């Protein structure tokens, strides 16, 4: 059993549950994925499955080593490869297709994505500092304020929250609920938001899976 | 059709009667009390329609015992059983927020004779 899938964020909408409440929905295109390579204890020291996200358009001019890597799975070279855990490696072989039906409605999943880049952000946006008053002669607006004492310790302590690059990093959102799956269109509907922009790649992991290494 | 529209398409309430801003409508709302279910009617003038797809909503205004009451409904909510158009009106704006400042005779709308 493969414990995850590669997906793409399509966008958000809303639906109504049976009680009539509005629930926010993220639409993900999950799969179809093909098993490109099996990672085994003998060869690699751990068990995992390398999945390839098969899209309409693959890599236009693949390199020779890439072609060799994809040969055994029988699919053209894809853009996105990702390793996911596998609880029963004997049942999976290279070239197998993994579809959304590995997820059930109501199941808990974790979604990993790359958050939207915010560029160089100040402390108000980056660390939720309160900032100062805008008017009434206030001369302190969005500056960080004091970053430490003077002659002792004569340096800024490590980890001081300051302005800097924000976003465009790996973010995991845990414990999202699957609202619906659509095998014909490879769609997965998830309650809540998922990191990243529309069209961004995400990794969808089963909430129940615990890696053997973590045990 | 893009994928978001495709997902929304299944949920849209295409069975409800179409109406426009200015129309007087009766909204039959499902009220659940414990496991009992009954219908309540909210009658008033549609003063605003906004949004598209599943996110669309509309505002109905009525004057109840001299006090203006406005209620916003999600246009595709499962809690709406039926929408009845009582009267169609001829209006020249998309949002009739000016009705909030008027009362009595001044707050009437010209009927659309069709």
């Amino acid at each position: 059993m493969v414990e995850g899938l590669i997906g793409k964020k399509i966008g958000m909408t809303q639906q109504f549950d049976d009680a009539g409440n509005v629930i926010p929905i993220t639409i993900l295109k999950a799969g179809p994925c093909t098993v490109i390579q099996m990672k085994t204890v003998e060869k690699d020291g751990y068990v995992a499955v390398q999945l390839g996200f098969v899209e309409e358009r693959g890599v236009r001019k693949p390199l020779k080593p890439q072609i060799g890597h994809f040969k055994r799975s029988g699919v053209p070279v894809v853009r996105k490869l990702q390793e996911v855990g596998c609880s029963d490696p004997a049942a999976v072989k290279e070239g197998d297709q993994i579809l959304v039906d590995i997820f059930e409605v109501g199941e808990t999943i974790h979604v990993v994505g790359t958050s939207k880049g915010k560029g160089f952000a100040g402390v108000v946006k980056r660390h939720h500092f309160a900032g100062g008053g805008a008017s009434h002669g206030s001369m302190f607006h969005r500056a960080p304020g004091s970053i430490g004492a003077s002659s002792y310790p004569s340096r800024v302590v490590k980890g001081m929250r300051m302005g800097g690059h924000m976003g465009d990093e790996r973010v995991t959102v845990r414990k999202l609920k699957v609202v619906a799956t659509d095998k014909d269109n490879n769609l997965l509907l998830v309650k809540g938001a998922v990191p990243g922009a529309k069209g961004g790649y995400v990794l969808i992991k089963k909430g129940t899976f615990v890696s053997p290494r973590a045990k | 059709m893009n994928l978001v529209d495709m997902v929304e398409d299944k949920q849209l309430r295409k069975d409800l009667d179409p109406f426009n801003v200015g129309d007087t409508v009766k909204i039959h709302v499902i009220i659940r009390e414990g496991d009992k279910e009954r219908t309540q009617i909210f009658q008033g003038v549609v003063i605003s329609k906004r949004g598209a797809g599943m996110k669309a909503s509309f505002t109905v205004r009525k004057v109840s015992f001299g006090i203006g009451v406005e209620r916003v409904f999600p246009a595709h909510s499962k809690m709406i059983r039926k929408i009845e158009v009582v009267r169609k009106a001829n209006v020249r704006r998309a949002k009739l927020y000016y009705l909030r400042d008027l009362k009595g005779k001044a707050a009437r709308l010209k009927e659309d004779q069709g």
Side-chain angles (χ1 to χ4, degrees), chain A:
Chain A
M1 187 74 182
V2 177
E3 301 289 342
L5 265 187
I6 308 170
K8 201 173 197 179
K9 180 165 164 179
I10 301 294
M12 288 193 76
T13 180
Q14 60 187 34
Q15 286 187 355
F16 296 94
D17 66 6
D18 292 331
N21 300 317
V22 172
I23 47 173
I25 301 278
T26 306
I27 304 169
L28 300 174
K29 188 166 174 65
C33 290
T34 302
V35 178
I36 306 295
Q37 191 184 29
M38 299 291 297
K39 301 276 180 181
T40 58
V41 178
E42 299 82 60
K43 217 171 163 190
D44 310 285
Y46 63 97
V47 175
V49 170
Q50 190 186 58
L51 292 179
F53 186 43
V54 181
E55 297 173 272
E56 282 119 62
R57 264 192 278 175
V59 177
R60 198 163 58 90
K61 276 184 176 173
L63 306 171
K64 271 192 173 174
Q66 284 184 311
I67 295 170
H69 184 68
F70 281 77
K71 213 169 197 174
R72 270 186 297 171
S73 57
V75 290
V77 177
V78 301
R79 290 181 186 187
K80 184 74 179 169
L81 290 174
Q82 188 83 48
E83 269 182 37
V84 296
C86 184
S87 55
D88 183 15
V92 187
K93 61 178 192 303
E94 281 156 5
D96 279 1
Q97 210 179 32
I98 314 292
L99 298 171
V100 235
D101 54 3
I102 63 167
F103 297 110
E104 283 162 27
V105 173
E107 195 180 330
T108 306
I109 55 168
H110 307 322
V111 178
V112 187
T114 306
S115 62
K116 283 185 183 175
K118 306 289 179 194
F120 190 103
V123 288
V124 173
K125 181 184 270 200
R126 194 175 184 221
H127 299 297
H128 303 134
F129 281 21
S135 61
H136 293 298
S138 164
M139 289 160 75
F140 180 79
H141 301 298
R142 296 174 71 93
S146 168
I147 54 167
S150 180
S151 56
Y152 184 78
S154 274
R155 63 186 173 87
V156 175
V157 292
K158 276 190 176 177
M160 179 61 58
R161 292 172 299 166
M162 291 184 177
H165 191 270
M166 183 184 174
D168 195 23
E169 59 183 359
R170 181 187 160 105
V171 176
T172 306
V173 178
R174 302 182 74 242
K175 294 179 183 170
L176 294 171
K177 283 265 182 302
V178 174
V179 175
T181 61
D182 179 351
K183 201 180 167 189
D184 299 333
N185 299 301
N186 296 303
L187 295 183
L188 184 70
L189 269 57
V190 175
K191 179 180 175 184
V194 156
K198 290 175 200 168
Y201 289 113
V202 290
L203 173 63
I204 309 152
K205 294 198 272 192
K206 283 195 168 233
T208 48
F209 180 64
V210 182
S211 154
R213 279 177 289 176
K215 271 178 194 166

